Amino acid sequence: MSSTESTMDKGAVVAGYDGSEEARKAVRWAAGEAAARGRGLVVAHVVGFPPVPEAVPGGGAWPRPGFLEAGQETAQRHAEAMLGDIAQECRRTWPELAVSTRLLSGRAPDELARAAENADLLVIGSSGLTALPRLLVGSTANQLLHDYHRPIVVVRDGEEPAADGDRKVVVGVDGSETSREAIGFAYDFADRHDHALVALHVWSDLPLEAMAVTPTEHDRELIEERGKPLLDEALAGYRERYPDVPVHRVIAVDRPAHALAEQAEGAALLVVGSHGRGLLRRALLGSVSRAMVHHAPCPVAVVRHHKERHGDYPKTRG
């Protein structure tokens, strides 16, 4: 992408598109969010060349001279047509939305990350045309989740934004700086879409075998007594900043991924930090956020910590 395009796309919502139904739904989710933010939508498709020898008709033999060039031209024409169709679909549904397209060439994770380097948000489907079944996240999504430094939304079930305001946004709270980033993102989304916010803290500092035993009333009181200050501190200041967002605080004794998945049933969005506690948290996508991207029943936003932003998201109600 040229520097001019990078400047034009600053603050936009970028959506990856490969022609699959998963990706189409992700683009529509991105379009709705761009319209709500008052931002532009950029739909990007990546053409990867050259093809591997196994993909050549006849199998095994490297293609004759000119084959790659002809194949690339055909792929580009097909991609341009796909991009044009999805852009028109978005313009029909959101007439006021500024929609542009980008046809890129190279490795999909690298090119999408580059296209979205100045974006507010990158949106992708959980799998595409060549991905494994929907239980798993495709390789492009997996790499972007590890490497992309800005907020990214993975649309798992393709559920489109609701028009009413009776839905919820769920955010995981563990007291970390990354969790604070996730809280800011979740508040901003809930405020813009008139949703309630569920702030979930999972008390999981127990042996796994202990979690199989139903806690007593005394246990619950003790856990709530210990968890409430953490939630209070994590949410401090946001009520004044977002006075119209109803907030429900939940403290659970459970495995974090299981508790988040339960709370996310029927949610418009689940927001998690890119890592939580653990020695390898800065090197790897956290195990909880990875599990949510694979198994959550709703779209998932994965948010990384940025010291420049200090967890504060500007109100961008469109």
Side-chain angles (χ1 to χ4, degrees):
M1 187 171 65
S2 70
S3 58
T4 302
E5 287 174 337
S6 178
T7 301
M8 288 172 57
D9 297 343
K10 187 173 183 179
V13 175
V14 175
Y17 183 59
D18 65 3
S20 67
E21 183 60 18
E22 286 267 342
R24 187 189 76 84
K25 291 174 180 177
V27 171
R28 289 185 58 83
W29 192 99
E33 182 60 15
R37 289 171 177 249
R39 303 293 193 181
L41 172 69
V42 178
V43 186
H45 176 80
V46 183
V47 177
F49 270 85
V52 296
E54 289 77 9
V56 178
W62 193 252
R64 63 185 180 276
F67 180 89
L68 293 182
E69 291 79 0
Q72 188 166 19
E73 289 177 7
T74 300
Q76 287 178 335
R77 285 197 298 270
H78 177 64
E80 287 169 355
M82 285 196 314
L83 285 171
D85 289 344
I86 192 67
Q88 283 301 107
E89 181 179 338
C90 292
R91 292 184 185 109
R92 284 194 298 270
T93 308
W94 295 273
E96 303 301 316
L97 179 64
V99 182
S100 60
T101 61
R102 299 285 181 269
L103 180 57
L104 310 169
S105 180
R107 293 186 67 255
D110 298 338
E111 294 304 319
L112 286 174
R114 191 173 295 116
E117 64 183 351
N118 292 316
D120 267 10
L121 188 65
L122 174 60
V123 182
I124 55 176
S126 61
S127 61
L129 293 170
T130 60
L132 294 172
R134 294 179 71 248
L135 176 65
L136 301 178
V137 175
S139 59
T140 295
N142 249 332
Q143 185 168 333
L144 283 166
L145 285 163
H146 281 84
D147 298 339
Y148 184 61
H149 63 282
R150 299 182 69 81
I152 181 169
V153 171
V154 179
V155 180
R156 270 196 54 81
D157 63 357
E159 191 174 350
E160 297 188 13
D164 54 60
D166 61 357
R167 302 184 71 192
K168 62 183 178 180
V169 177
V170 179
V171 60
V173 180
D174 68 4
S176 66
E177 284 298 319
T178 303
S179 171
R180 181 169 174 79
E181 293 285 348
I183 293 167
F185 186 96
Y187 256 106
D188 185 58
F189 187 92
D191 182 63
R192 192 164 46 250
H193 293 278
D194 296 318
H195 294 328
L197 179 69
V198 175
L200 172 65
H201 173 62
V202 184
W203 187 268
S204 58
D205 294 336
L206 293 170
L208 290 178
E209 60 270 18
M211 292 186 189
V213 180
T214 302
T216 66
E217 191 63 33
H218 174 72
D219 292 334
R220 291 188 183 279
E221 289 176 1
L222 183 60
I223 289 164
E224 292 221 3
E225 181 182 326
R226 293 179 177 177
K228 187 175 181 298
L230 185 146
L231 278 176
D232 288 343
E233 182 179 352
L235 300 176
Y238 286 106
R239 181 173 297 278
E240 293 75 17
R241 189 174 177 82
Y242 300 96
D244 298 326
V245 176
V247 180
H248 307 287
R249 303 175 184 211
V250 178
I251 300 172
V253 182
D254 201 347
R255 294 169 177 82
H258 183 262
L260 284 165
E262 275 198 338
Q263 288 293 328
E265 286 289 345
L269 186 69
L270 170 64
V271 186
V272 293
S274 61
H275 57 72
R277 290 169 292 186
L279 294 176
L280 298 179
R281 65 177 186 249
R282 297 197 183 280
L284 301 174
L285 180 71
S287 59
V288 174
S289 48
R290 186 191 307 116
M292 290 301 91
V293 167
H294 282 255
H295 303 296
C298 68
V300 180
V302 178
V303 182
R304 293 184 182 277
H305 171 54
H306 274 267
K307 61 183 178 181
E308 299 88 356
R309 192 165 53 226
H310 297 291
D312 294 326
Y313 281 81
K315 297 186 72 172
T316 53
R317 184 181 280 273

